[in-house]
């Protein structure tokens, strides 16, 4: 998740930008850069790798008298990590620069149009399109910077938070938000100026007065104040100035009590980051060049084997349902610690997919190496750029969850599901097993999912807090699901047990009569996932068996389903979406339930006992 910081005011700009970028390091990045306005024009510095590499280039200019500039940390999407692809990006004449967090979905079309008009591109990024596009309006119609930005963005499809600096109007920064976060810092009494940033921690060394930009809003920042407009028509918008009262730990957590809760609420953005550079919603196409395998390879595989541990194993179990349904290919799912110690029937016609958040999980790494020795092709699902596993496999489908600090996986898990869903659609596209309109429907539904989650999260948080109060003293918990939601029952049970220390088990609902039903009594909470899908009636029948034995029923089902309210002690209603995406949707309330129970029990939510974030030993 790219980080943006900008400043205009009375302070020397380089130290302000560097400090802001340091406060945004938690977002994850592979390169960094900054630009400021010097005596003879814009001065730009960029470096691949950590901020220390950029700082080394700035030793001689830290005290430059410039008072306006922009900084950026980049997480690669379009174009490999390199100094050339690092932000800021310039127009043809080096008089205008842009920093950007997001994805320009139609950048290829825009790039071709601009090149035809004589614009020269120097990077592989989608962001550079913005600089040239704004330049084209500044030169072609002689308009001011704000008008040029507004007219440019009317041609852009995608998500963005941007900062723009132009030598033609050296007294201002322009910032715009659409789907990607952006917040303003307002000058303190000492005339500290105005700032912009992707997140509040970057602002706190200089001000605690902030303004949150909403989608489709444009801000003009000057040394003595700011103005916010509607992007569409320039109409001025009055915004409330909020005063942030955070201690350093709270600042790191963006005001949330725990990292886990912060990361649960980051899921809409993380999911968006994971899919947006890889799909073409207009034509229902997917593009996954990072897999490192040709279409011929993809068409030749006879079997897929997935290897993972913990939550990643649950993600693989969901993907098995998707792949067998939409691609018609046999899929095996192995726990990595078991996979590495059994006879492996692998060859070049088998695709092995290891799934690991860190890329350093010992058992998954060992299994990956065995698969490579067997001659199988290997494509990893991973969140950490340059981690060990990504350096050894044929290709990597990166999730873009950003750093996950809480030990219990939340946003990393849902981003793994998104990556696996994308892979399913891509493989179906290559092998011709899914008709175009079905694939388009799936893509459109995935595009809508982040907004659905963002809308529902606050209500779910309140609902799960009330629910947790009823079950905080429970000693056991049973989670039930069927079909692609069965692995989510496993994941819900894992979350509850690992952070609240309540014994919890996940079961396939159809297995109730094969043992677990013996546990049901008035003290046993049973949570079942019952969306209205192809196995709805079967799950309801299983739930009725629990009710007949006086179990305490919690049902998560489809909004408008009056049946679950009649049957259960507690009904939680979720939006109706395409059934294939229910595993992602239904995961989030279960994360919140586990969090609220653990919080009420006084547990260490972010660092539960005996657990580590990355298991790097066997």
């Amino acid at each position: 998740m790219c980080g943006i910081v900008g400043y205009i005011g009375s302070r020397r700009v380089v130290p302000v930008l560097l400090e802001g970028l340091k406060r945004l390091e938690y977002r994850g990045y592979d390169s960094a850069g900054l630009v400021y306005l010097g005596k003879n024009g814009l001065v730009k510095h960029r470096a691949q790798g950590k901020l220390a590499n950029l700082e080394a280039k700035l030793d001689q200019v830290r005290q430059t008298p410039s008072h306006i500039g922009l900084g950026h940390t980049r997480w690669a999407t379009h174009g490999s990590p390199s100094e050339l692809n690092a932000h800021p990006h310039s127009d043809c004449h080096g008089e205008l620069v842009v920093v950007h967090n997001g994805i320009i979905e139609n950048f290829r079309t825009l790039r071709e149009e601009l090149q035809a008009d004589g614009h020269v591109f120097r990077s592989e990024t989608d962001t550079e399109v913005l600089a040239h596009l704004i330049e084209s309006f500044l030169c072609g119609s002689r308009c001011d910077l704000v008008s040029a930005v507004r007219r440019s963005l009317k041609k852009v499809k995608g998500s963005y938070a941007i900062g723009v600096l132009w030598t033609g109007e050296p007294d201002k920064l322009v910032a715009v938000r659409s789907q990607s976060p952006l917040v303003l810092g307002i000058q303190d009494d000492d005339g500290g100026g105005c700032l912009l940033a992707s997140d509040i921690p970057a602002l706190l060394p200089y001000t605690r007065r902030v303004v949150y930009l909403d989608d489709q809003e444009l801000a003009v920042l000057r040394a003595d104040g700011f103005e916010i407009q509607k992007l569409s028509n320039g109409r001025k918008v009055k915004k409330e100035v909020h005063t942030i009262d955070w201690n350093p730990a709270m600042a790191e957590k963006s005001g949330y009590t725990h990292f886990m809760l912060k990361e649960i609420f980051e899921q809409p953005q993380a999911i968006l980051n994971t899919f947006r550079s890889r799909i073409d919603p207009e034509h229902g196409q997917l593009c996954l060049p990072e897999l490192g395998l040709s279409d011929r390879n993809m068409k030749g595989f006879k079997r897929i084997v997935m290897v993972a541990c913990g939550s990643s194993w649950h993600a693989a179990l969901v993907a098995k349902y998707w792949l067998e349904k939409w691609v018609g290919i046999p899929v095996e799912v192995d726990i990595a610690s078991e996979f590495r110690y059994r006879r492996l029937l692998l060859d070049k016609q088998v695709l092995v997919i290891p799934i690991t958040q860190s890329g350093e999980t010992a058992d998954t790494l060992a299994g990956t190496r065995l698969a490579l020795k067997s001659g199988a092709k290997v494509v990893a699902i991973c969140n950490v750029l340059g981690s060990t596993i990504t350096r050894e496999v044929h290709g990597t489908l990166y999730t873009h969850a950003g750093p996950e600090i809480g030990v219990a996986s939340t946003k990393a898990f849902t981003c793994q599901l998104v990556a696996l869903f994308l892979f399913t659609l891509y493989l179906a596209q290559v092998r011709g097993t899914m008709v175009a309109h079905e694939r388009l429907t799936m893509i459109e539904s995935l595009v809508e999912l982040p907004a659905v989650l963002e809308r529902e999260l606050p209500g779910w948080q309140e609902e799960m807090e009330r629910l947790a109060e009823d079950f905080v003293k429970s000693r056991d918990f049973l989670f039930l699901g069927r079909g692609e939601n069965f692995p989510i029952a496993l994941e819900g049970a894992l979350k509850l047990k690992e952070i609240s220390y309540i014994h919890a088990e996940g079961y396939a609902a159809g297995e109730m009569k094969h043992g677990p039903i013996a546990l049901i009594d008035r003290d046993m909470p049973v949570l079942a996932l019952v969306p209205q899908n192809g196995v709805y009636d079967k799950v309801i029948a299983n739930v009725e068996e629990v009710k007949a034995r006086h179990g305490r029923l919690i049902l998560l089902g489809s909004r408008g389903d009056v049946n679950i309210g009649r049957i259960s002690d507690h009904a939680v209603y979720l939006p109706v979406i395409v059934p294939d995406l229910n595993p992602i949707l239904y995961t989030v309330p279960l994360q919140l339930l586990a969090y609220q129970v653990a919080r009420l029990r006084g547990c260490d939510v972010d660092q539960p006992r005996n657990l580590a974030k990355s298991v790097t030993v066997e």
Side-chain angles (χ1 to χ4, degrees):
M1 297 185 294
C2 301
I4 291 173
V5 61
Y7 174 74
I8 180 171
S10 59
R11 304 176 190 270
R12 295 181 186 271
V13 72
V14 173
V16 174
L17 297 178
L18 279 175
E19 182 62 29
L21 293 178
K22 288 178 182 178
R23 301 294 182 108
L24 296 177
E25 281 191 284
Y26 73 90
R27 297 170 69 86
Y29 65 100
D30 51 59
S31 58
L34 61 76
V35 64
Y36 59 86
L37 185 60
K39 289 182 179 179
N40 300 314
L42 296 174
V43 181
K44 184 165 57 174
H45 297 272
R46 300 181 293 180
Q48 185 178 348
K50 294 300 181 182
L51 271 175
N53 299 337
L54 178 63
E55 287 187 275
K57 292 187 172 187
L58 296 170
D59 283 343
Q60 304 303 315
V61 298
R62 283 177 180 269
Q63 298 307 313
T64 184
S66 175
H67 301 287
I68 181 172
L70 295 165
H72 189 273
T73 53
R74 176 178 187 252
W75 183 295
T77 53
H78 293 86
S80 60
S82 68
E83 184 175 324
L84 191 66
N85 288 328
H87 297 216
H89 287 289
S90 305
D91 64 349
C92 291
H93 300 96
E95 297 174 352
L96 179 142
V97 287
V98 175
V99 292
H100 167 224
N101 174 26
I103 295 292
I104 307 305
E105 294 171 3
N106 61 335
F107 87 98
R108 289 186 179 88
T109 302
L110 293 173
R111 183 176 178 130
E112 290 170 1
E113 293 174 357
L114 289 161
Q115 286 175 323
D117 289 338
H119 289 262
V120 178
F121 284 76
R122 297 174 177 83
S123 77
E124 305 168 276
T125 69
D126 57 334
T127 299
E128 192 180 355
V129 164
L130 295 173
H132 291 283
L133 195 58
I134 296 169
E135 177 191 26
S136 69
F137 283 103
L138 286 170
C139 296
S141 54
R142 304 292 178 184
C143 59
D144 63 278
L145 179 59
V146 170
S147 298
V149 170
R150 180 178 293 112
R151 292 174 68 180
S152 297
L153 292 178
K154 286 181 179 179
K155 301 187 69 173
V156 169
K157 296 178 182 177
S159 61
Y160 46 83
I162 64 171
V164 186
L165 170 59
W166 182 41
T167 58
E169 295 179 20
D171 62 339
K172 69 180 65 165
L173 295 173
V174 174
V176 186
R177 172 184 172 164
S178 179
Q179 298 184 49
S180 295
L182 206 59
V183 60
L184 308 184
I186 308 308
Q187 65 182 55
D188 290 330
D189 293 337
D190 62 359
C194 288
L195 302 101
L196 63 97
S198 297
D199 204 354
I200 290 171
L203 308 176
L204 292 183
Y206 309 104
T207 183
R208 293 182 179 271
R209 300 173 63 229
V210 304
V211 172
Y212 298 99
L213 287 186
D214 291 318
D215 277 349
Q216 299 297 305
E217 288 184 344
L218 179 150
V220 180
L221 283 68
R222 295 184 175 86
D224 59 355
F226 70 99
E227 178 184 290
I228 297 177
Q229 310 171 2
K230 287 288 186 183
L231 178 60
S232 59
N233 55 23
R235 182 172 59 83
K236 292 183 181 180
V237 180
K238 289 186 177 180
K239 304 287 286 189
E240 181 180 357
V241 177
H242 299 265
T243 300
I244 303 298
D245 185 20
W246 292 350
N247 60 38
M250 289 176 68
E252 196 175 357
K253 297 170 185 171
S254 298
Y256 290 95
T257 310
H258 298 95
F259 280 111
M260 182 179 177
L261 185 61
K262 173 178 179 282
E263 288 156 7
I264 289 172
F265 273 80
E266 285 176 343
Q267 285 176 113
Q269 185 65 45
I271 287 170
L272 181 64
N273 290 343
T274 297
F275 72 68
R276 62 187 175 184
S277 64
R278 293 158 168 164
I279 60 176
D280 178 357
E282 291 184 36
H283 303 101
Q285 296 289 311
L286 293 99
C287 182
L288 303 178
E290 61 267 53
L291 296 181
L293 300 176
S294 66
D295 285 359
R296 182 178 178 182
N297 287 139
M298 289 296 182
K299 291 176 181 178
F301 293 125
K302 304 296 184 185
R303 185 163 53 100
I304 293 176
V305 176
M306 295 189 178
V307 183
C309 304
S311 292
S312 297
W313 180 63
H314 298 156
L317 289 171
V318 174
K320 174 181 171 70
Y321 286 92
W322 288 335
L323 284 160
E324 291 183 343
K325 174 182 177 181
W326 292 113
V327 184
I329 189 170
V331 178
E332 299 172 15
V333 178
D334 268 283
I335 295 172
S337 56
E338 295 295 317
F339 177 80
R340 62 184 294 195
Y341 291 115
R342 66 178 179 82
R343 183 184 176 191
L344 301 179
L345 304 177
L346 303 177
D347 56 36
K348 64 182 181 181
Q349 292 185 312
V350 177
L351 175 64
V352 176
I353 303 178
I355 307 171
T356 162
Q357 187 280 141
S358 67
E360 307 293 345
T361 308
D363 287 319
T364 306
L365 267 173
T368 297
R369 289 163 179 160
L370 287 172
L372 288 165
K373 286 181 181 179
S374 73
K377 297 294 185 183
V378 182
V379 173
I381 307 287
C382 186
N383 189 49
V384 180
L385 193 75
S387 57
T388 300
I389 203 166
T390 68
R391 299 195 301 270
E392 298 187 12
V393 296
H394 296 100
T396 301
L397 183 56
Y398 283 103
T399 55
H400 290 291
E404 188 176 63
I405 308 302
V407 167
S409 182
T410 52
K411 62 178 181 173
F413 174 72
T414 49
C415 285
Q416 286 173 350
L417 288 175
V418 171
L420 288 163
F421 189 70
L422 291 173
F423 177 76
T424 300
L425 298 183
Y426 177 74
L427 195 56
Q429 173 182 296
V430 170
R431 294 169 72 113
T433 57
M434 192 178 196
V435 296
H437 76 84
E438 287 177 324
R439 191 170 61 248
L440 180 59
T441 297
M442 293 297 175
I443 289 173
E444 289 173 343
S445 299
L446 181 60
V447 168
E448 293 169 1
L449 184 59
V452 171
L453 291 173
E454 188 142 17
R455 183 179 66 244
E456 299 291 333
L457 265 163
W460 286 342
Q461 183 182 14
E462 294 178 3
E463 197 162 6
M464 291 304 156
E465 184 173 14
R466 292 192 296 268
L467 202 57
E469 291 171 354
D470 286 343
F471 295 98
V472 66
K473 295 183 179 179
S474 298
R475 295 182 58 186
D476 303 281
F477 229 103
L478 194 61
F479 289 75
L480 302 177
R482 204 155 187 161
E484 64 268 21
N485 296 305
F486 161 51
I488 303 309
L490 296 175
E491 176 65 11
L494 176 61
K495 283 293 157 286
L496 186 65
K497 73 177 74 171
E498 68 182 341
I499 65 169
S500 75
Y501 316 141
I502 292 174
H503 172 249
E505 298 294 337
Y507 271 91
E511 284 291 290
M512 279 289 295
K513 289 191 285 290
H514 296 275
I517 201 167
L519 299 172
I520 306 301
D521 60 20
R522 297 179 187 276
D523 296 321
M524 172 63 81
V526 179
L527 186 151
L529 308 176
V530 289
Q532 290 180 320
N533 57 18
V535 292
Y536 172 79
D537 291 336
K538 297 292 184 183
V539 182
I540 290 296
N542 300 138
V543 165
E544 291 281 13
E545 294 169 348
V546 174
K547 184 177 179 65
R549 288 155 181 82
H550 308 293
R552 301 173 67 189
L553 269 174
I554 308 163
L555 298 186
L556 273 64
S558 303
R559 195 160 286 159
D561 182 1
V562 296
N563 198 30
I564 63 172
R566 177 185 60 80
I567 298 172
S568 65
D569 300 285
H570 301 272
V572 180
Y573 298 97
L574 278 66
V576 178
I577 62 174
V578 295
D580 291 85
L581 291 175
N582 277 333
I584 303 172
L585 180 72
Y586 279 66
T587 291
V588 181
L590 299 187
Q591 294 170 345
L592 284 166
L593 176 62
Y595 169 80
Q596 296 292 7
V597 171
R599 182 185 62 80
L600 291 175
R601 287 168 68 92
C603 299
D604 189 340
V605 172
D606 287 331
Q607 295 190 354
R609 67 190 182 203
N610 305 329
L611 296 178
K613 184 62 184 172
S614 178
V615 183
T616 57
V617 294
E618 185 178 356

